[in-house]
Amino acid sequence: MLELLPPGADHVVAMRVSGRVTAADLQPAIEAIETIKKSHPRVSLYTEIDEMRWMTFTAFLRDLGYALTQVGDLDRYYRAAVLSDKHWVRHLTRLENRLFRTMQIRTFPTREKSTALEWVRQLPEVPTAAMV
């Protein structure tokens, strides 16, 4: 299940992921991201990963498909804060940091929720290309 959370800042999409994630679960998050991209030059993401058990194959394909459509827009993403105590999440975040160098991605333990929210809510810097 994917549940949208109050973001606390206009440029942030916040969500909680738990249990089994389906392709239908992903759609509200994708729509929220696309809506924010219409009114803000850069988007930040906040994700709480609780007891996520697994993602269906169609959800994986939907997530991958959306990610591929964003390759040309990576400079539109500012920060991603991931709140989780799962070790596999930390390893995945390190890999994503290497792949998506235009975006700052950090993992926070659940006890540092307020720190994660404060960090992700900071106003993004406008990319140089957008200033021209």
Side-chain angles (χ1 to χ4, degrees), residues 39-93:
S39 59
H40 293 278
R42 300 194 76 188
V43 178
S44 291
L45 307 170
Y46 170 82
T47 305
E48 294 178 5
I49 299 179
D50 192 6
E51 293 301 318
M52 182 177 165
R53 306 243 188 290
W54 56 292
M55 180 182 275
T56 66
F57 185 66
T58 55
F60 173 75
L61 291 177
R62 178 71 179 115
D63 190 39
L64 179 61
Y66 181 68
L68 290 174
T69 69
Q70 299 305 295
V71 169
D73 264 357
L74 288 178
D75 62 336
R76 298 287 310 275
Y77 293 89
Y78 181 52
R79 289 184 170 172
V82 181
L83 189 74
S84 181
D85 290 328
K86 306 286 183 196
H87 291 289
W88 65 267
V89 172
R90 290 189 190 119
H91 295 296
L92 184 60
T93 301

Side-chain angles (χ1 to χ4, degrees), residues 106-118:
R106 285 183 56 189
T107 305
F108 296 85
T110 55
R111 70 181 180 279
E112 293 182 18
K113 180 176 181 172
S114 60
T115 303
L117 287 167
E118 181 181 325

